[in-house]
Each structure stands twice: as structure tokens, then as C-alpha cells.
Amino acid sequence: MTAEQIIQQILFFISAALTLGSAVMVVATRKLIQAALWLIVSLFGVAVLYALLDASFLVVVQVVVYIGAIAILFIFAVMLTQRDQRDKGPQLNKSWVLAALVGLATFGGLTFLVSSWTGFGAAAAPIPAGTVDMVADLGTALVSVDQYVLPFEVASVLLLAALIGAIYVAYNRK
Amino acid sequence: MIPLSWYLILSAALFSIGLFGVLARRNAIAILMGIELMLNAVNINLVSFWRYGSPAEMSGQVFAIIVFAVAAAEVAVGLALVISVYRRRKTVVANEIDMMKW
């Protein structure tokens, strides 16, 4: 193994520990505003994983859209709703043991299923020769007629409709 | 080098943690946070299958971008609903929002 591969593995372990540890804190911490902040750490760990997977555009989108927009939206929602039940009472419902069992069973089942698949330990496919700029390839794929222009446009219409719907639902009529 | 299995196990663990959050938390906003974790686990899977399968085609990344758009739409509408319910009922506990249950 070369030094670069060892560094990649160390980076993977650090970011995986960051992602999973802060994800546990998101579901376990009592204060909701701290859960939102741990969610930001977890999303950042996922961005590092995208960087390890050579998906450079998704790294930027993860930081800008998830951390910059969605996590901030969560913090706003927590601050707008939390006035009179701040950290009062249990944060988990009565059947949380059952929920933990379902989570563990899902993890065991998924791990068992993918480990019985033949491509489980596959190595990364080589980046095809002649690839200069994968971001440019992605942009071309998103807007060229014979590839993904229709799903792209449908997603943008969905986003527009959802944002108009969100304004309508949250609008204060008084 | 990092084998594909590490990414798959990591995303299975992240998905299960998010599933536990969705099932066990009482606060509706915390449930939405669990859904975000699950969507991120799905995205890790999609991007790692793209990288380890066929990086010449962009289908995996395009799929992940569409998941991003759907996640943004879902969280915008979900949080708007939570805020609207909070204004009328003064609660964000999912068990207490039961006016459509009979």
C-alpha cells in the first residue's frame, strides 16, 4: 500500500467516526438546538466522504445546500417552536427500546444482505482515461436532451412547488 | 485503498441511526432530523456505487443531486407544517398532534 492509500484510509476512519458519532448525538441529545448543531457536524462528515469518493460537485452541494440551507432551516424551526417545552419531560417516546431493536435489526439485515453480495469487497473502478473535468461532465449530463434533462426539470418544478407550498402553509393569516 | 464494503456498512449504520431517531423521538423536528440522516445514508450509497461501479457515467451523481432536491423540498414543507401546527396547538410533540385520529 502506498502512503496515499493509507492517508485515504485514515481520512475515511476519521470522517466515518465523525459522521456516526454525531449522528448518535443527533438522536440521543436532549436539547434540540444541540441536536441541530450535531446534525451539522454529521453532514460535514458526509461531505468529507464525498470528497474521498471523488464527487467534488457533491461536496460543494452538501456544504451549501445541507449545511447552509437545511441545517439553518432546522435551527430556525427549533427557535420558533421551542418556547414552552424546552427540555421538559422525556425526549424519547415509550417504545424507544422497540425502536432501538428495529434499528439494530435493520443494520444487521442490511449488513448481512450486502455482505452476501459478490461485489462486496470491490475496489474502486479506475477513473476513465481522458477525463479532464468530471464536474463539466456532470453538468453536461444534467442538461443534455438524451440524458437527464427531464428528471432535472421535474426536480426543479418539485422544489418550486414545495417552496410555494411551504410559504402558504407557514403563512400567518392573522 | 478503501473497499466498497466500508462505505456500505457505514451507510447502513447511518441509516439505522436515522431510523431509530424517526421511531423513538417525540419531537416532530427531531423526527425530521432522523429523516435527513437516512437520506444522507442513501446518498453515500448512491455515490459509492457510482464511484466503484461505473465512474464514466454520471447516473449515480445525478440521482444523488435529485435526492438533494427532494430532501430540500421535504424539509421545507415539513418544517412549515411543524411551525403551522405549533401556532395553532402550541405543541411539537408528534403524539399530541392527533386531531385527524378518531
Side-chain angles (χ1 to χ4, degrees):
Chain A
M1 263 199 311
T2 63
E4 191 194 358
Q5 289 172 338
I6 295 172
I7 290 171
Q8 276 190 352
Q9 289 190 341
I10 292 170
L11 272 177
F12 177 88
F13 276 120
I14 292 172
S15 52
L18 198 70
T19 308
L20 290 182
S22 44
V24 168
M25 290 305 289
V26 169
V27 298
T29 188
R30 285 184 58 80
K31 291 185 179 162
L32 207 54
I33 193 79
Q34 289 181 1
L37 295 176
W38 280 114
L39 182 69
I40 292 179
V41 179
S42 186
L43 296 175
F44 190 78
V46 176
V48 177
L49 290 174
Y50 289 157
L52 283 174
L53 285 166
D54 299 317
S56 47
F57 180 68
L58 290 183
V59 178
V60 179
V61 173
Q62 175 84 5
V63 172
V64 172
V65 174
Y66 258 109
I67 299 176
I70 294 181
I72 300 303
L73 207 57
F74 269 114
I75 291 174
F76 266 111
V78 170
M79 288 180 167
L80 283 172
T81 58
Q82 219 188 2
R83 195 179 308 140
D84 46 23
Q85 58 172 27
R86 189 165 10 212
D87 316 317
K88 252 193 291 175
Q91 290 296 310
L92 300 175
N93 60 22
K94 279 177 229 136
S95 53
W96 70 270
V97 179
L98 193 65
L101 285 179
V102 171
L104 280 178
T106 309
F107 176 63
L110 283 175
T111 311
F112 173 73
L113 271 181
V114 294
S115 64
S116 59
W117 175 52
T118 49
F120 185 55
I127 300 282
T131 308
V132 185
D133 189 357
M134 264 203 267
V135 180
D137 288 348
L138 178 62
T140 316
L142 275 176
V143 292
S144 71
V145 181
D146 52 347
Q147 292 194 63
Y148 303 105
V149 69
L150 191 61
F152 180 69
E153 294 297 333
V154 169
S156 62
V157 171
L158 170 77
L159 200 55
L160 179 68
L163 292 182
I164 294 172
I167 293 171
Y168 178 77
V169 168
Y171 186 70
N172 194 355
R173 287 177 192 78
K174 270 174 256 168
Chain B
M1 51 154 281
I2 307 165
L4 176 60
S5 51
W6 294 10
Y7 286 104
L8 297 184
I9 291 172
L10 168 73
S11 71
L14 192 59
F15 188 88
S16 307
I17 293 171
L19 184 65
F20 171 76
V22 170
L23 291 177
R25 293 296 291 241
R26 294 176 77 229
N27 194 309
I29 298 175
I31 292 175
L32 283 173
M33 287 183 196
I35 295 176
E36 290 307 312
L37 291 179
M38 290 162 81
L39 285 168
N40 266 284
V42 171
N43 261 352
I44 293 174
N45 250 357
L46 286 172
V47 177
S48 56
F49 276 127
W50 162 77
R51 181 66 187 80
Y52 285 74
S54 57
E57 294 172 37
M58 283 296 155
S59 47
Q61 284 205 51
V62 171
F63 215 138
I65 286 172
I66 289 176
V67 172
F68 273 120
V70 173
E74 168 257 328
V75 81
V77 174
L79 290 177
L81 282 172
V82 170
I83 289 170
S84 178
V85 166
Y86 178 75
R87 255 195 216 124
R88 285 149 198 264
R89 306 279 298 235
K90 295 290 166 211
T91 182
V92 286
V93 177
N95 275 341
E96 294 170 7
I97 306 169
D98 56 357
M99 59 273 224
M100 293 198 36
K101 206 160 117 189
W102 54 279

